[in-house]
């Protein structure tokens, strides 16, 4: 059968970087969803699998967050080196735009599974080479590749791809709540495991958890790979286009500065307590008490000031979090625990609001590239926080916390100005969803 030649007057193929309006929709209508809404029972099953896999993975992440700093501290007796060693795991976010390009092109389930297995392999090798500081640094850095791919795929790509639109906000809240709860479990298991088994055996237990997370993730539905070929120049243009959009840019600036202030807060507290001679199990319990607050807050986040605009909700959370950090700076343990609980509450609620907004604003077809680039700035600032605390370790008392407090105060001022001047993120999101003229690179040339 002969295939007829293309019609010269036919409408050109849609730009992969933009979701076209649904057939018959009026100009300026909201973008079409790329999949039919799934039945509620199917959504629930998928979410259960995703939450279970993510919990195993995040428990492993947070065990790693206490085992590695304490193992390096035991070997080197240096708080600064301990902080820097673990901070290397987050340095991988510098390359996240390239990972985003890969995520958007291949089966998302496969990427999620391989990310867990890659981390497991790094941890097995790390367990055998803990005495070498160079080996620890390199393997922690390499494990960050899987960590970045797992975070982007699990939180920002799989939900919009596999969960129907009406259920996404609640799905984000449930997943984030599970992740916050995983932090509690991970810290407690990490502290107990380090005390009872030692650093090498505790590291192997972390590797096993990553393997289990990958096996559970195999139960997720496959997400078809994109036939579109990788074009790094175009992919980077799409990612940075979304970062440059007005409704995203100030969020990126504010959250990046906040992460620079407290991105490595937990390892900083852990190493400070450890340097003061506090028992490892006690450290785990103290940290878990605060993180448990974050788990509860994430689940309740959709009901927090629901009638307020997203800008105002985020600003309130920023101010509450700043107050929490100020309490953490007080050298009295009960006050610091309360401060950490306040901190975890504020960050958890803010994260749910931010993630939900980005999922609804950014088309699923470019979610990997856009969110990877966004997270290059936001989450990429987190490891720099470790270097900040390492530098501040020479300071005593309140002075140790002053650089972080100063950065967070500046972030609050920036976001307050944006919230006052902006017309509302919701209105901006609606405007950005409209079809705009396409640039030669295939990126909408909307307001940046």
């Amino acid at each position: 059968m002969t295939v007829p030649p293309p019609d010269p007057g036919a409408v050109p193929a849609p730009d992969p970087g933009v979701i076209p309006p649904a057939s018959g929709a009026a100009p300026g209508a909201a973008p079409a969803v790329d999949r039919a809404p799934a039945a509620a029972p199917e959504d629930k099953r998928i979410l259960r699998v995703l939450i279970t896999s993510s919990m195993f993975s995040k428990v492993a992440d947070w065990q790693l967050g206490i085992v590695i700093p304490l193992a390096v501290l035991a070997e080197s007796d240096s708080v600064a080196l301990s902080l820097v060693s673990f901070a290397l795991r987050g340095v991988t976010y510098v390359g996240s735009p390239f990972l985003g390009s890969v995520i958007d092109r291949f089966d998302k389930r496969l990427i999620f599974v391989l990310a867990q297995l890659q981390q497991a392999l790094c941890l097995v090798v790390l367990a055998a080479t803990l005495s070498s500081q160079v080996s620890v640094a390199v393997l922690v850095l390499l494990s960050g590749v899987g960590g970045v791919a797992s975070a982007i795929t699990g939180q920002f790509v799989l939900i919009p791809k596999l969960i129907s639109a009406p259920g996404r906000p609640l799905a984000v809240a449930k997943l984030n709540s599970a992740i916050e709860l995983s932090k509690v479990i991970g810290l407690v298991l990490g502290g107990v495991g380090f005390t009872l088994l030692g650093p090498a055996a505790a590291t192997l237990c972390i590797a096993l958890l990553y393997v289990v997370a990958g096996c559970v993730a195999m139960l997720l539905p496959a997400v078809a790979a994109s036939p579109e070929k990788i074009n790094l120049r175009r992919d980077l243009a799409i990612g940075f286009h979304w970062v440059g959009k007005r409704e995203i840019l100030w969020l990126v600036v504010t959250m990046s500065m906040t992460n620079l202030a407290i991105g490595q807060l937990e390892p900083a507290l852990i190493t400070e307590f450890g340097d003061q001679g506090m028992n490892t199990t006690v450290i785990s319990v103290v940290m878990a008490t605060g993180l448990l607050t974050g788990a509860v807050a994430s689940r309740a986040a959709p009901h927090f000031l629901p009638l307020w605009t997203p800008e105002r909700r985020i600003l309130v959370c920023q101010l509450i979090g700043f107050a929490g950090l100020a309490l953490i700076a007080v050298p009295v343990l009960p006050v610091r625990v309360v401060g950490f609980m306040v901190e975890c509450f504020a960050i958890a609620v803010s994260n749910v609001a931010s993630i939900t907004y980005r999922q609804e604003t950014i088309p699923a077809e470019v979610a990997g590239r856009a969110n990877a680039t966004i997270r290059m700035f936001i989450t990429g600032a987190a490891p720099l926080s470790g270097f900040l605390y390492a530098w501040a370790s020479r300071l005593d008392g309140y002075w140790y916390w002053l650089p972080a407090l100063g950065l967070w105060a500046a972030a609050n001022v920036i976001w307050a100005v944006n919230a006052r001047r902006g017309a509302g993120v919701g209105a901006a999101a609606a405007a950005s969803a409209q079809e705009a003229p396409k640039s030669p690179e295939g990126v909408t040339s909307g307001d940046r």
Side-chain angles (χ1 to χ4, degrees):
M1 177 177 177
T2 304
V3 178
D7 180 1
V11 178
D15 183 347
V18 180
I19 300 180
S23 177
V33 180
D34 68 329
R35 60 183 293 273
E42 181 66 11
D43 277 1
K44 291 179 180 179
R45 188 194 71 81
I46 291 171
L47 186 58
R48 280 198 298 268
V49 174
L50 180 58
I51 286 176
T52 302
S53 177
S54 297
M55 285 191 71
F56 277 111
S57 181
K58 293 301 179 181
V59 167
D61 286 349
W62 283 82
Q63 281 190 251
L64 192 63
I66 191 169
V67 169
I68 294 301
L70 292 178
V72 173
L73 184 65
E75 288 286 337
S76 65
D77 198 30
S78 168
V79 172
L81 184 59
S82 176
L83 287 168
V84 169
S85 296
F86 185 71
L88 289 172
R89 180 170 162 86
V91 171
T92 317
Y93 272 100
V94 172
S96 61
F98 301 97
L99 282 174
S101 179
V102 174
I103 291 169
D104 275 342
R105 293 323 197 288
F106 293 93
D107 179 357
K108 312 308 184 282
R109 179 185 66 180
L110 178 63
I111 295 292
F112 193 60
V113 171
L114 291 179
Q116 314 307 327
L117 299 182
Q118 187 265 355
Q119 293 177 91
L121 179 61
C122 288
L123 268 292
V124 169
V125 179
L126 193 150
T129 57
L130 276 171
S131 59
S132 169
Q133 296 300 317
V134 174
S135 176
V136 169
V138 171
L139 288 165
V140 168
L141 178 64
L142 290 177
S143 73
V145 175
V148 172
S150 174
I152 294 172
T153 308
Q155 289 182 270
F156 295 95
V157 180
L158 285 174
I159 286 182
K161 279 288 187 182
L162 297 176
I163 303 295
S164 55
R168 286 174 196 160
L170 184 58
V172 172
K174 287 183 176 180
L175 179 58
N176 265 48
S177 180
I179 288 173
E180 293 296 327
L181 182 60
S182 301
K183 295 178 182 181
V184 179
I185 298 170
L187 280 173
V188 172
L189 289 181
V192 173
F194 187 91
T195 302
L196 298 180
L197 304 175
T203 303
L204 288 176
C205 290
I206 296 170
L208 179 61
L209 285 174
Y210 283 126
V211 172
V212 173
C215 292
V216 173
M218 288 295 295
L219 299 175
L220 290 168
V223 180
S226 170
E228 183 186 6
K229 293 183 179 179
I230 292 178
N231 182 328
L232 287 180
R233 181 171 176 267
R234 182 175 181 279
D235 291 344
L236 290 174
I238 290 173
F240 280 99
H241 161 75
W242 281 98
V243 171
K245 292 180 76 67
R246 184 172 57 192
E247 60 269 27
I248 296 293
L249 177 60
W250 293 114
L251 181 70
V252 170
V253 172
T254 302
M255 296 304 175
S256 296
M257 293 183 67
T258 301
N259 268 351
L260 186 58
I262 52 100
Q264 293 291 302
L265 176 62
E266 290 85 1
L269 283 172
I270 289 167
T271 50
E272 184 181 15
F273 290 150
D275 191 48
Q276 293 172 355
M278 186 181 291
N279 179 272
T280 305
T281 303
V282 175
I283 294 175
S284 298
V285 172
V286 168
M287 300 301 293
T289 301
L291 292 173
L292 185 60
T293 305
V296 176
S298 289
R299 186 64 181 83
H303 308 291
F304 180 75
L305 302 175
L307 299 181
W308 286 32
T309 64
E311 293 103 328
R312 293 180 65 190
R313 287 205 304 272
I314 291 173
L315 178 59
V316 169
C317 290
Q318 288 288 108
L319 294 173
I320 293 173
F322 178 80
L325 185 61
L327 292 175
I328 290 173
V330 177
V332 178
L333 184 59
V335 176
R336 303 184 95 176
V337 172
V338 171
F340 191 52
M341 292 173 66
V342 171
E343 181 83 18
C344 292
F345 169 86
I347 294 302
V349 174
S350 178
N351 282 344
V352 171
S354 172
I355 291 172
T356 301
Y357 168 67
R358 278 182 278 168
Q359 285 183 350
E360 296 306 319
T361 303
I362 300 171
E365 281 72 13
V366 296
R369 282 165 282 183
N371 281 293
T373 307
I374 290 169
R375 286 176 71 84
M376 179 182 71
F377 294 100
I378 294 179
T379 314
L384 297 180
S385 175
F387 293 97
L388 176 69
Y389 282 115
W391 173 82
S393 63
R394 70 186 73 181
L395 306 174
D396 295 323
Y398 292 103
W399 293 101
Y400 175 73
W401 300 99
L402 190 60
L405 285 166
L407 280 168
W408 201 331
N412 286 349
V413 171
I414 290 172
W415 187 251
V417 171
N418 172 72
R420 183 179 179 84
R421 294 176 58 187
V425 170
S432 68
Q434 297 180 0
E435 185 83 14
K438 298 168 187 175
S439 70
E441 294 300 328
V443 183
T444 56
S445 53
D447 183 11
R448 303 189 186 189

